[in-house]
Amino acid sequence: AQRVTQPEKLLSVFKGAPVELKCNYSYSGSPELFWYVQYSRQRLQLLLRHISRESIKGFTADLNKGETSFHLKKPFAQEEDSAMYYCALSDTGNQFYFGTGTSLTVIP
Amino acid sequence: NAGVTQTPKFRILKIGQSMTLQCTQDMNHNYMYWYRQDPGMGLKLIYYSVGAGITDKGEVPNGYNVSRSTTEDFPLRLELAAPSQTSVYFCASSFGGYTEAFFGQGTRLTVV
């Protein structure tokens, strides 16, 4: 069963515009949600996680348990934000489930 | 600080050949994972390990084997390579439950 869904494979926004990358999950317990980012020719790295409630590089994500969503948002997109973004869910601790990813392109 | 190191970075195999993808981490993490990344499919878990001597299957284990004799190393073995195994393989490690996973740089494998 698909635990993490990212409905947009490709997303393009203009520089300075707001951006929202969608993530919905399916899990009956209390999962931990993450956003990972993969810049061109680099390894996947953690962008942010729900439990820490941080804002990294201007990105934020709010866990909405009612809608089972964990959308990633940034008010003003920058060119350096162009990358592949993965939403991930960790269950009781043994596994991470990743979405199919959203490729974000920020147009100058 | 090396983190998670994978070797090789690239490899071309012929159908039926075997190979081992190496993965080592220096963060003393108990949990280690192998994923494959196919275009448009995201990351799929192949195998994972929660500690030395303990391994378990993920979503797509067929055609692969793993071992975990030490905390640091988690090699992935392909016994009879098939074109369907053409993919990018990522190794990752973490402390465990609800903690961040650290990834290697990936191995791009082509089976022809």
Side-chain angles (χ1 to χ4, degrees), chain B:
Chain B
N1 191 358
V4 179
T5 303
Q6 287 182 241
T7 56
K9 290 186 178 179
F10 305 94
R11 183 71 185 268
I12 299 175
L13 278 183
K14 293 184 178 180
I15 295 172
Q17 286 186 320
S18 301
M19 77 164 294
T20 299
L21 281 67
Q22 301 292 344
C23 176
T24 187
Q25 53 93 8
D26 62 359
M27 296 173 283
N28 202 31
H29 287 167
N30 284 325
Y31 289 60
M32 295 189 75
Y33 314 84
W34 273 106
Y35 291 91
R36 57 178 289 170
Q37 182 185 39
D38 300 318
M41 299 297 290
L43 282 80
K44 298 290 187 182
L45 182 64
I46 305 171
Y47 271 95
Y48 67 98
S49 169
V50 300
I54 305 170
T55 62
D56 209 344
K57 296 178 180 178
E59 298 177 80
V60 290
N62 292 342
Y64 307 94
N65 279 301
V66 294
S67 60
R68 185 92 182 272
S69 56
T70 65
T71 299
E72 294 79 16
D73 300 308
F74 190 42
L76 178 71
R77 178 81 177 164
L78 283 73
E79 290 294 347
L80 294 170
S84 60
Q85 293 177 306
T86 293
S87 188
V88 180
Y89 291 83
F90 287 99
C91 179
S93 72
S94 72
F95 274 116
Y98 301 131
T99 61
E100 174 187 358
F102 292 82
F103 283 82
Q105 287 188 307
T107 297
R108 186 174 295 275
L109 175 67
T110 302
V111 181
V112 296

Side-chain angles (χ1 to χ4, degrees), chain A residues 12-100:
Chain A
S12 296
V13 299
F14 285 101
K15 177 182 175 180
V19 60
E20 180 181 52
L21 288 79
K22 292 184 169 53
C23 173
N24 290 90
Y25 67 91
S26 168
Y27 188 69
S28 58
S30 296
E32 178 59 21
L33 279 300
F34 303 80
W35 275 99
Y36 282 83
V37 61
Q38 187 177 27
Y39 300 105
S40 179
R41 300 184 183 277
Q42 295 187 29
R43 66 184 70 195
L44 276 86
Q45 56 188 285
L46 179 69
L47 180 61
L48 56 79
R49 54 185 299 187
H50 160 248
I51 198 170
S52 63
R53 298 186 179 276
E54 293 175 301
S55 173
I56 306 296
K57 298 184 179 182
F59 285 97
T60 59
D62 290 321
L63 178 62
N64 186 322
K65 291 187 177 181
E67 296 181 357
T68 58
S69 68
F70 189 58
H71 302 328
L72 183 69
K73 300 177 183 179
K74 185 171 183 177
F76 308 103
Q78 302 299 315
E79 290 180 64
E80 55 265 30
D81 296 329
S82 295
M84 193 75 175
Y85 292 80
Y86 290 96
C87 183
L89 176 155
S90 174
D91 56 9
T92 52
N94 288 351
Q95 296 193 31
F96 282 85
Y97 298 92
F98 285 83
T100 50

